[in-house]
Amino acid sequence: VYNQGHFYQPIPWEFDPDPKKETPEAIEDGKRSGLGTGYEFYQAWNSDNFPRFIMVTFQHPCPYFDDSYAVNSPNCGPFGDAIMNELIPYVETHFRIIRQPFARVLEGGSTGGWESLALQVYYPSFFGGAWVFDPDPIDFRRFQLLDIYKDENAFEYRRPGAWIRNPRPWSRTPEGQVRSTVEDVSHYEDMLGPHGRSDYQLDGWWAVFGPVGDDGYPVPLWDMQSGKINRTAADYMRDHGFDLGNYISTHWAQIGPDLVGKLHFFVGDMDSYYLNLAVYKMEEFLKTTKTPYYAGSFEYGRPMKGHGWHPMTWADLLRQIAAQVQKNAPKEIDVSTWNY
C-alpha cells in the first residue's frame, strides 16, 4: 500500500506502538475521524489473521511546500519520474513485495487523496486501485467554491445585486460556520513570503499546478491582493493535466479500460474546505461512462462530516483493500497465505 500525504512524523500518527498515547484526546479524535487511534491500528496490525501488507509512505518536499504532489511540475521538478522510475523500483527490489499491478494500491487523504488519484490515472496499468479520501480539488470547475475557468475574482461570489459583496469562504466548521475566506488566506500567505514562498497551501498549489513566471517563480492563479484570476494560469493547469476531472474525461477512451473497479472516493458532505464539490463532479462524469463503465465507488459522510472523515478504521480499510487485491490476484496464486 503506497500511502500518500504530508506533515509526516518519524512514525506516522496513524500507527503508534506506544499505549501511553491512547489518551482520551486521541480516542476522541479517532472517533471523530472514524479511523480509530494509532495504537488501535498497531494492535490490529499485529493481530492474528490480519492481511499482511508492506506499507510505504513518501516524503517529497519541494522548495514551495512540504509536498510535491508526487507529479512532474516545472516549479518543483520531476518528482513523478523520480517516484515511478527510481523510488518504487528500489523499494520493490529491496523488500518482499509482489511486483504486479493487482498488488500495488494507493491510499491517501486531502493532499494524499489528490496524489493517489493522480498516480492512478497517470499510470493506470501500474497500480491496482486508489482509495481517495477528501482530496484536494480534483475538478477545477469546483476549485473549492471557484470555477477557475469562469469566475473573474477568487475573493467574492458573483453579486446577486450590485450593492452586495459576498466574500468567498475558504473553510467552515461541520455545522457550516465560515472560519476564513479566500481573501483572508491569500493575504496571509502574501504576508508570510512573496513569490510563492509562504510554504502554505495556495503557494503550494501554484507551484505544482502552475507555470513558471518570467521572474523564475510560480505564477499565482489569482492576484493575492485583489483576487483577480489569471486566465492564462488557469488554462495552463487544465492543459497540462492537473485538472484531474478534465484529464480523466478527455482521456477516458485510453485510460478507462485500465481503471475499471479501481477508483474509490470518500468525502464528508460538510468537508471543511468544500472539497466534496469536486468529488460530486467526478461522480457525475464517472457514472456516465460506458466504454467501459468505471465500476468504482463513492461514499459520502453525513451528517456534518468534515475534513478527514473516514467510514472505516485504518484496520478495516486494509481489510477492504485486501479483499480487492485478493479478488484481482491471478488464479494460480494461493491468497490464503496472505492472512496470518
Side-chain angles (χ1 to χ4, degrees), residues 52 64 85-86 90 116-117 123 154 159 166 200-201 209 250 263 304 307 313 322 327 333-334 336 338:
R52 298 303 164 190
Y64 299 98
N85 300 332
E86 299 177 42
Y90 181 90
S116 298
L117 180 61
Y123 309 96
R159 299 181 182 185
N166 289 325
Y200 208 63
Q201 185 61 78
F209 303 149
T250 57
L263 302 179
M304 295 187 294
H307 196 62
T313 65
K327 176 183 175 182
I333 294 181
D334 180 8
S336 67
W338 293 352

Side-chain angles (χ1 to χ4, degrees), residues 78-130:
F79 278 91
D81 288 346
I83 288 169
M84 295 299 300
N85 300 332
E86 299 177 42
L87 180 57
I88 289 179
Y90 181 90
V91 170
E92 292 192 347
T93 54
H94 285 72
F95 294 89
R96 192 161 58 95
I97 291 176
I98 298 173
R99 301 189 69 188
Q100 296 185 49
F102 78 90
R104 297 186 186 104
V105 177
L106 297 155
E107 179 277 325
S110 195
T111 291
W114 191 97
E115 292 170 342
S116 298
L117 180 61
L119 286 176
Q120 181 65 77
V121 302
Y122 290 161
Y123 309 96
S125 63
F126 187 82
F127 296 102

